[in-house]
Amino acid sequence: FLMIRRPPRSTQSRSSAASDVYKRQVESLYKYTGIFFTGGDQVQILQTLYNTQNTLRASSFALQVIKKRFFEKQLALMGSSAGTACMQLSPMVTGGESYEAILNGVHFNRSDQSSENLSVDLKGGLGIFQLGYLDSHFGSYGRQGRLPVLAAQLGNLKIKWGFGIDENTGLLI
């Protein structure tokens, strides 16, 4: 089991102990053949694996190692719920319900809208899954309306595929 903590954010707030722990965690990534991303909140997963300053995103060293090993076929990546949603390169659904998505369309700022409205992060997720949109708990939470609305409203991005994944199902790439 490996839990990656957020890297120290600035030189003023870095303690040498925190930096050393982060370095050891990143070095341990070379030992593993697989990583499972659990559910929860995909935005928190991104905040852990990206260095964010202002509105820019830069991959943390941990994410760089994960992606390098994944694309070199040295590391398997799996996810459930938010751990699935965070994998995509395309704009990432961060919340919302089907009915409100159909009525109100896509919202691009998670903080200034109702939790029922379809919210999307246009920057996408971790950039690992590159075949299209991902949505989890598809049938069990009634999310079938979210992907069509997302695809219709963001049609200019020319993303061809949307994958709705449900409990007891998987997508092998």
Side-chain angles (χ1 to χ4, degrees):
F1 173 74
L2 172 69
M3 183 172 89
I4 297 176
R5 300 183 193 284
R6 291 183 187 169
R9 293 289 183 207
S10 69
T11 52
Q12 290 92 0
S13 66
R14 287 183 194 185
S15 72
S16 62
S19 290
D20 290 344
V21 167
Y22 180 71
K23 286 177 189 171
R24 284 194 305 274
Q25 289 174 339
V26 171
E27 288 169 4
S28 73
L29 290 172
Y30 288 100
K31 297 183 215 173
Y32 296 98
T33 57
I35 297 175
F36 185 85
F37 289 84
T38 63
D41 184 344
Q42 54 266 44
V43 174
Q44 287 184 353
I45 296 170
L46 297 184
Q47 288 171 344
T48 300
L49 290 172
Y50 277 113
N51 296 324
T52 54
Q53 296 186 359
N54 301 326
T55 58
L56 302 175
R57 269 192 198 155
S59 295
S60 66
F61 187 57
L63 181 55
Q64 290 173 32
V65 170
I66 290 168
K67 288 173 85 169
K68 178 182 185 299
R69 294 199 62 228
F70 173 77
F71 288 116
E72 291 177 352
K73 300 185 186 316
Q74 298 172 349
L75 184 68
L77 298 176
M78 299 143 284
S80 173
S81 190
T84 299
C86 75
M87 298 281 183
Q88 61 196 323
L89 174 67
S90 61
M92 180 183 70
V93 173
T94 56
E97 304 297 331
S98 287
Y99 181 74
E100 286 77 7
I102 293 166
L103 287 179
N104 304 321
V106 177
H107 290 255
F108 302 106
N109 186 345
R110 187 178 192 193
S111 62
D112 70 352
Q113 47 90 28
S114 161
S115 63
E116 287 83 26
N117 285 329
L118 176 57
S119 59
V120 172
D121 184 337
L122 287 174
K123 295 176 190 169
L126 300 175
I128 292 162
F129 180 79
Q130 300 179 355
L131 298 175
Y133 300 112
L134 288 171
D135 204 356
S136 59
H137 306 292
F138 200 61
S140 60
Y141 287 16
R143 293 181 173 170
Q144 298 91 334
R146 297 191 329 177
L147 285 178
V149 170
L150 183 63
Q153 195 163 339
L154 299 179
N156 61 322
L157 298 178
K158 301 193 183 335
I159 296 169
K160 293 182 179 182
W161 303 96
F163 299 88
I165 301 173
D166 223 331
E167 279 65 19
N168 300 318
T169 62
L171 184 60
L172 180 61
I173 315 247

